Amino acid sequence: MTDGPSYGFDTLQIHAGARPDPATGARQTPIYQTTAYVFRDAEHAAALFNLQEVGFIYSRLTNPTVAVLQERIATLEGGVGAVCCSSGHAAQIMALFPLMGPGRNVVASTRLYGGTVTQFSQTIKRFGWSAKFVDFDDLDAVRSAIDEDTRAVFCEAIANPGGYITDVPAIAAIADDAGLPLIVDNTSATPYLCRPIELGATLVVHSTTKYLTGNGTVTGGCVVDSGKFNWSASDKFPSLSAPEPAYHGLKFHETFGPLAYTFHGIAIGLRDLGMTMNPQAAHYTLMGIETLSLRMERHVENAVKIATWLENDPRVEYVTYAGLPSSPYHGRVESICPRGAGALFTFAVKGGYEACVKLVDSLEIFSHVANLGDTRSLVIHSASTTHRQLTPEQQEAAGAAPNVVRLSIGIEDADDLIADLDRALSAAAR
Ligand SMILES: *Cc1c(COP(=O)(O)O)cnc(C)c1O
């Protein structure tokens, strides 16, 4: 189909990027389970390798099934292009790779997925990169953290472990003033609830492992480019604006214009880092995306019901969900994620660590797993699992205090989920 801007989200989540298979007429996107593609002739091969013609060479770079998913996600986010990769964490490295270099830093929100905090505070140092963590509610602190070596600003729209919404337009304005791209991790919100590019983001990253696939089957990631950033406005982004030695002197921005970042991600990023998404994973994620809006509506509806019930229960100390009027971030829902504050939140159980452990062990429908964004409801007690190695002070700061449990609300019957929590809270109080 032609992806006219007149099509609504529900139509695009099923059709964007896909067309009947030209060879067979297959209506569903085939899984192109192939490593390589036969060149028409030597001239065709040379044109592909020179990036003079766009086509398929080798599945580390491009694959027709993955290409449909890339176009689908780019369209839903309102970007010009996207690169899929093997996981959400791979997407973060792929997103930073063309921007950073030894000695360069990224200014990042303190409110991030735990794995991202580790990747940014420890692992990227091996590349000579670093991250400066700042409270993104303190706009002056964000401004003053940016220095001559900063190459990107990074945050999550709805931040893990839930309950926090970033003021994306305010952060985008700061990045813009400094001539820097803003990268927004939109995993917890999905493009159905939040559209970071419309709010001023340059790049959007996803763990497609979560809501986009939606059923806990495959890991994957994606980097979406808005196509709006002027990479040549300063000399800060030579990978995109200056001659590329690993591509016989090609200047990506000059040659590809708004598609420069996407082409770089494939021609250099996937080619040399090799964090490729496989076609089978792309297939599962395409299946999931077809029902994204329907699922997100139910995720949010259930989350509101359950958070409200928990907040009114005497066995619960507090609930941190931005969808509740009691949340300090409730006022941001309308402008940042008007269709709802997602389905991730934490709550504190009276009785502390022991009660939380009993609660987690007593739940029947909720699965105790280190994952989120599944059709199934999930629970984790961070203090005894993912945040176990931290001091109590660090646990507190990360929203993972010993008395706190995180829920990822699924799309089951809300009444069944409430009954499950009710039973488990009683068991925990005993
Ligand atoms: C899960 C997650 C990631 C990491 O994604 P993987 O697919 O597990 O590598 C990054 N950011 C957020 C917000 C996530 O929830």
Side-chain angles (χ1 to χ4, degrees):
M1 76 183 245
T2 53
D3 304 331
S6 52
Y7 291 119
F9 193 97
D10 291 350
T11 305
L12 293 172
Q13 73 186 356
I14 295 170
H15 292 286
R19 46 199 71 80
D21 181 54
T24 63
R27 179 58 276 202
Q28 188 51 275
T29 300
I31 305 167
Y32 286 91
Q33 198 69 56
T34 182
T35 316
Y37 307 84
V38 179
F39 306 122
R40 287 195 301 272
D41 50 36
E43 201 182 325
H44 176 223
L48 290 175
F49 274 91
N50 274 340
L51 292 181
Q52 284 157 343
E53 190 179 328
V54 176
F56 300 102
I57 299 177
Y58 186 67
S59 283
R60 174 158 26 82
L61 288 83
T62 46
N63 171 281
T65 312
V66 178
V68 172
L69 178 60
Q70 288 172 163
E71 195 173 332
R72 177 97 31 105
I73 298 174
T75 304
L76 295 178
E77 286 287 2
V80 294
V83 179
C84 282
C85 32
S86 51
S87 71
H89 272 2
Q92 292 168 191
I93 295 296
M94 284 280 293
L96 291 172
F97 178 64
L99 315 176
M100 304 282 276
R104 307 306 185 198
N105 67 70
V106 52
V107 169
S109 171
T110 46
R111 297 176 184 88
L112 294 177
Y113 178 74
T116 307
V117 174
T118 309
Q119 186 187 59
F120 281 12
S121 62
Q122 310 293 334
T123 307
I124 65 172
K125 281 193 210 155
R126 309 282 184 98
F127 307 143
W129 311 348
S130 63
K132 294 185 178 184
F133 292 98
V134 187
D135 176 358
F136 271 36
D137 275 345
D138 185 346
L139 298 181
D140 286 332
V142 178
R143 247 178 243 114
S144 50
I146 293 173
D147 63 27
E148 271 305 292
D149 287 319
T150 304
R151 290 295 178 270
V153 178
F154 188 100
C155 63
E156 293 177 11
I158 297 177
N160 202 295
Y164 179 79
I165 295 175
T166 304
D167 186 352
V168 179
I171 300 296
I174 293 172
D176 207 39
D177 283 346
L180 296 172
L182 170 64
I183 307 173
V184 175
D185 181 338
N186 202 27
T187 301
S188 306
T190 81
Y192 184 67
L193 300 181
C194 176
R195 311 246 304 167
I197 289 174
E198 283 170 11
L199 302 174
T202 307
L203 304 168
V204 174
V205 292
H206 274 284
S207 166
T208 59
T209 314
K210 314 293 170 49
Y211 292 107
L212 294 186
T213 304
N215 46 40
T217 45
V218 287
T219 63
C222 187
V223 186
V224 183
D225 179 24
S226 64
K228 291 179 182 163
F229 196 86
N230 181 2
W231 305 109
S232 305
S234 74
D235 58 4
K236 287 186 173 171
F237 304 103
S239 295
L240 295 156
S241 63
E244 169 59 59
Y247 232 105
H248 38 74
L250 182 84
K251 291 184 185 171
F252 276 86
H253 193 209
E254 189 183 281
T255 309
F256 299 112
L259 280 169
Y261 186 91
T262 303
F263 269 80
H264 187 279
I266 294 166
I268 305 286
L270 288 181
R271 187 193 67 176
D272 297 347
L273 298 176
M275 300 162 158
T276 308
M277 177 182 278
N278 67 73
Q280 191 77 37
H283 166 72
Y284 284 120
T285 304
L286 281 166
M287 295 292 92
I289 285 188
E290 293 190 351
T291 57
L292 180 64
S293 64
L294 308 178
R295 287 184 287 109
M296 292 316 291
E297 265 170 24
R298 177 64 73 85
H299 278 296
V300 168
E301 187 187 313
N302 280 357
V304 170
K305 277 187 197 160
I306 291 160
T308 305
W309 180 83
L310 284 168
E311 188 168 53
N312 291 312
D313 192 283
R315 295 163 293 186
V316 171
E317 261 178 57
Y318 60 83
V319 180
T320 61
Y321 178 52
L324 293 175
S326 59
S327 163
Y329 302 106
H330 191 64
R332 288 183 185 166
V333 174
E334 187 149 332
S335 57
I336 308 293
C337 46
R339 283 162 160 163
L344 270 189
F345 60 86
T346 62
F347 70 102
V349 184
K350 285 181 188 161
Y353 188 99
E354 287 308 318
C356 287
V357 171
K358 265 196 220 163
L359 173 101
V360 164
D361 282 342
S362 308
L363 285 164
E364 282 177 11
I365 302 175
F366 284 83
S367 306
H368 186 201
V369 300
N371 190 21
L372 59 95
D374 198 321
T375 45
R376 278 151 273 277
S377 289
L378 311 174
V379 62
I380 195 152
H381 179 227
S382 305
S384 61
T385 56
T386 51
H387 292 63
R388 199 183 171 83
Q389 73 287 2
L390 303 186
T391 65
E393 295 73 41
Q394 287 173 316
Q395 288 176 344
E396 195 89 41
N403 62 338
V404 167
V405 169
R406 186 190 77 193
L407 299 181
S408 171
I409 301 296
I411 59 174
E412 303 99 328
D413 284 290
D415 291 344
D416 291 341
L417 297 175
I418 288 173
D420 198 23
L421 286 164
D422 189 25
R423 270 193 307 270
L425 279 166
S426 294
R430 254 181 249 126

